[in-house]
Amino acid sequence: MSIGISGLGIYAPKKIVTNDDLSKLVDTNDEWIYSRTGIRQRHVAEGEEDTLYMALEASKVAIQDANINPQDIDFIICSTVTREYAFPSVAALVQKALEIPSIPAFDMGPACGGFAYVLATAESYVKSGLAKKVLCICSEKLSDIIDWTDRNTCVLFGDAAGAVIIEENPSQATILKTIIGGDGAYGELLRMEKIGDKPPVVRMDGMGVFKSAIRIMDEQVREVCASAGKTIEDIDLLVPHQANARIMSAVAERLGIPVEKTYMNVAHYGNTSSVSVLLALADAKKEGILKEGMLVACPVLGAGFTWGASLLQY
Ligand code: UT7
């Protein structure tokens, strides 16, 4: 049974915040941010662009790209750590907005590990026969949970959404294998913290996350290749979670994958958590870098820690 991606859509908010803009908010500068992270700018949501709005916009593009009607969808999963309310879920609100008759719809919150988690979940439901066409969404309005006075974190993140349609006999890419994992023992390194009576904000041990991310994403690519009967040399394009250019380059180097085979667009969007791989796949396709016939490896890691990797045959 071949299960995979039949449609892909992304949405990035209209407002762009550059590193120079941030240097007016906190004690930082473009040289520090770019040399440490590879980030030049990020999109920041405003006005109506909340998590649901971005999820809906990306979903509409994915549905159109898959050449299906919203009513063909029979399952919705949304990965987000920034939904406005605990309930109803973003997935349920998307179902309502797209006028899809009653179907299962729920959210999950694996943070930056979200892409592998939604893919693994959707694939399992299709494989088991519980679903035929799954709308998988990742939507993150991280600007809501960032401490804009903390230069250690506020320069890193951006807002965006992405969506894919997962089904049998896919028209775009087959999921050869997706693996997921995690370990709460790393929880302290990247967490939400409540200070006084203010809403909780992101706090991070940057170097702790940095070192673990390189080691674990390297392991994940090796494991997903081994379980799919592929070698590292078979990989045509490495599309890692877009957290930081230095992390991605280090993962590629450890794997022996040349940097030309590693796709990065973190310069444009910053770290958009669960959305980042979808933004990268969409841009790589648009730029003609991601082509039919390519074997693509997508390792991810996020708060929890959650981690995973997908091997996609385009
Ligand atoms: O999805 C996973 C999410 N997390 C990540 O992607 C983060 C992973 N970690 C990282 O990307 C890196 O650890 C950072 C980019 C966050 C930091 O890079 P670094 O190489 O660990 O920084 P560094 O050790 O070279 O510099 C740290 C210094 C500190 O100053 P002192 O204490 O040495 O005087 C910071 O206060 O840099 C200072 N600093 C800044 N300076 C200017 C921290 N943030 C900034 C800033 N601008 N924005």
Side-chain angles (χ1 to χ4, degrees), residues 96-109:
K96 178 183 167 219
L98 293 177
E99 298 177 359
I100 301 172
S102 61
I103 53 165
F106 63 88
D107 292 351
M108 56 166 77

Side-chain angles (χ1 to χ4, degrees), residues 7-312:
L8 167 63
I10 58 169
Y11 179 83
K14 291 172 197 75
K15 183 178 168 186
I16 288 174
V17 174
T18 65
N19 292 346
D20 284 341
D21 293 333
L22 286 180
S23 70
K24 290 169 199 137
L25 274 185
V26 288
D27 181 13
T28 191
N29 56 71
D30 179 57
E31 196 282 320
W32 192 96
I33 301 171
Y34 187 68
S35 63
R36 300 302 201 290
T37 69
I39 299 168
R40 287 278 191 212
Q41 60 167 57
R42 68 288 294 143
H43 292 247
V44 174
E46 57 179 4
E48 63 184 352
E49 293 171 319
D50 60 11
T51 301
L52 172 61
Y53 180 93
M54 295 191 291
L56 254 176
E57 291 306 304
S59 298
K60 286 180 202 163
V61 181
I63 289 165
Q64 201 176 16
D65 192 43
N67 208 12
I68 60 170
N69 296 312
Q71 291 68 30
D72 297 331
I73 292 162
D74 61 358
F75 212 106
I76 304 178
I77 308 166
C78 179
S79 173
T80 183
V81 293
T82 63
R83 60 186 178 192
E84 282 73 32
Y85 306 102
F87 55 83
S89 66
V90 173
L93 295 172
V94 167
Q95 179 240 332
K96 178 183 167 219
L98 293 177
E99 298 177 359
I100 301 172
S102 61
I103 53 165
F106 63 88
D107 292 351
M108 56 166 77
C112 303
F115 177 70
Y117 273 67
V118 289
L119 232 55
T121 310
E123 190 191 9
S124 308
Y125 280 117
V126 174
K127 209 175 262 175
S128 72
L130 275 171
K132 283 196 162 50
K133 277 187 182 24
V134 185
L135 170 62
C136 291
I137 310 163
C138 297
S139 184
E140 310 282 8
K141 191 183 172 203
L142 299 171
S143 57
D144 269 356
I145 59 168
I146 285 165
D147 175 357
W148 288 98
T149 65
D150 175 18
R151 69 176 183 172
N152 290 294
T153 52
C154 77
V155 301
L156 302 175
F157 299 99
D159 301 332
V164 281
I165 306 294
I166 302 295
E167 63 177 349
E168 215 184 319
N169 302 320
S171 59
Q172 295 185 5
T174 299
I175 303 169
L176 293 189
K177 187 81 192 174
T178 290
I179 54 170
I180 51 171
D183 189 345
Y186 294 94
E188 274 297 298
L189 294 179
L190 184 51
R191 63 193 188 284
M192 296 289 290
E193 196 172 278
K194 199 161 166 18
I195 297 158
D197 52 9
K198 292 197 184 124
V201 287
V202 175
R203 287 285 182 259
M204 183 179 66
D205 169 353
M207 216 6 101
V209 177
F210 191 92
K211 286 182 188 155
S212 313
I214 294 168
R215 178 177 53 79
I216 295 170
M217 288 205 285
D218 168 44
E219 288 166 4
Q220 289 299 292
V221 175
R222 292 179 192 281
E223 195 180 322
V224 79
C225 282
S227 57
K230 299 282 182 186
T231 66
I232 303 297
E233 291 70 36
D234 291 330
I235 296 170
D236 297 302
L237 197 63
L238 181 67
V239 183
H241 166 47
Q242 307 281 309
N244 177 315
R246 282 160 66 211
I247 295 178
M248 290 186 271
S249 303
V251 172
E253 195 182 326
R254 280 175 72 135
L255 289 166
I257 295 177
V259 79
E260 313 83 74
K261 286 187 169 184
T262 306
Y263 186 80
M264 300 186 203
N265 62 0
V266 68
H268 187 88
Y269 299 104
N271 178 348
T272 57
S273 188
S274 65
V275 189
S276 84
V277 171
L278 292 166
L279 293 176
L281 291 174
D283 282 3
K285 220 170 145 185
K286 201 165 98 189
E287 291 161 20
I289 293 169
L290 172 53
K291 300 189 198 80
E292 213 180 316
M294 280 187 159
L295 183 69
V296 181
C298 310
V300 296
L301 176 129
F305 280 172
T306 59
W307 58 68
S310 308
L311 208 51
L312 307 173

